[in-house]
Amino acid sequence: MTVTRDLPGLDLPPATLERLGAFEALARRWTGKINLVAPSTVPDLWTRHIADSAQLWPLAPSAAATWADLGSGGGFPGLVIAILSGDTGPKLTLIESDGRKCAFLRTAARELGLSVTILDQRVESAPSQAAQIVSARALAPLVTLLPLVARHLAPGGTALLPKGRDWAAEIDAAHAGGWTFDAEPIPSTTDPTARVLRLQNIAHG
């Protein structure tokens, strides 16, 4: 199978693109059964979910050894990052409370030969990961998300949080809620109105 689709900002070997294509096919098959993603986004799954997830990889600190993905759902971005990072990337832990989605994550990881840890637990009750990178995509508004991120992020770590057109309002609401952080809003490669928020020094009160 040869995948001709590209990913903005990434120059990937054919084997990695083929693995992403295999993951896309798996996600399409399973979405018909358990709604891994919103049905309306399935026709554009490559851009809306795979490319949107892949843009986090070049934003991650290169020396990071651990990465926790919160509310992994259908593996966006967790399994996409696992494919892009290969055998030399950070140790990835995917946390997802939906048992059916966890079944998909385990099946996809096994079929694609990915080394990841999958926790079938709620993000707020899972053991603290103290990860150097924490990601969360389409999980909650920033003010609600930050306590979960802080729970699983190591001191000095980096959070990578894709946000839609209301990203600036979410930052304002988080500040109003007593959160402080260093924020770098990075333009999304898949949506001109969206940003990836790269956050550090997250604290409350």
Side-chain angles (χ1 to χ4, degrees), residues 104-198:
F104 167 75
L105 294 173
R106 292 190 177 99
T107 297
R110 182 178 64 252
E111 293 192 11
L112 298 172
L114 302 174
S115 178
V116 297
T117 298
I118 298 165
L119 300 182
D120 187 353
Q121 294 178 279
R122 295 184 63 83
V123 173
E124 58 267 35
S125 58
S128 174
Q129 297 301 302
Q132 291 170 308
I133 302 172
V134 168
S135 59
R137 180 176 178 267
L139 182 60
L142 189 61
V143 68
T144 305
L145 184 59
L146 283 175
L148 306 177
V149 171
R151 172 182 173 81
H152 294 286
L153 188 65
T158 299
L160 297 174
L161 309 174
K163 287 294 174 183
R165 66 177 69 240
D166 295 328
W167 61 271
E170 290 197 34
I171 289 177
D172 290 342
H175 286 319
W179 289 94
T180 60
F181 44 81
D182 297 328
E184 182 182 3
I186 300 167
S188 169
T189 62
T190 62
D191 179 351
T193 69
R195 298 291 185 273
V196 176
L197 301 184
R198 183 159 55 187

Side-chain angles (χ1 to χ4, degrees), residues 28-79:
R28 287 183 182 278
R29 288 202 301 272
W30 278 67
T31 292
K33 303 173 185 177
I34 64 170
N35 285 339
L36 291 175
V37 299
S40 62
T41 67
V42 173
D44 198 23
L45 192 145
W46 181 269
T47 298
R48 290 287 299 274
H49 298 288
I50 292 179
D52 194 60
S53 297
Q55 67 178 320
L56 301 190
W57 177 237
L59 304 181
S62 58
T66 51
W67 185 318
D69 184 44
L70 312 183
S72 294
F76 307 105
L79 290 185

Side-chain angles (χ1 to χ4, degrees), residues 71-92:
S72 294
F76 307 105
L79 290 185
V80 174
I81 297 300
I83 292 170
L84 294 175
S85 62
D87 298 329
T88 60
K91 179 181 181 293
L92 274 151

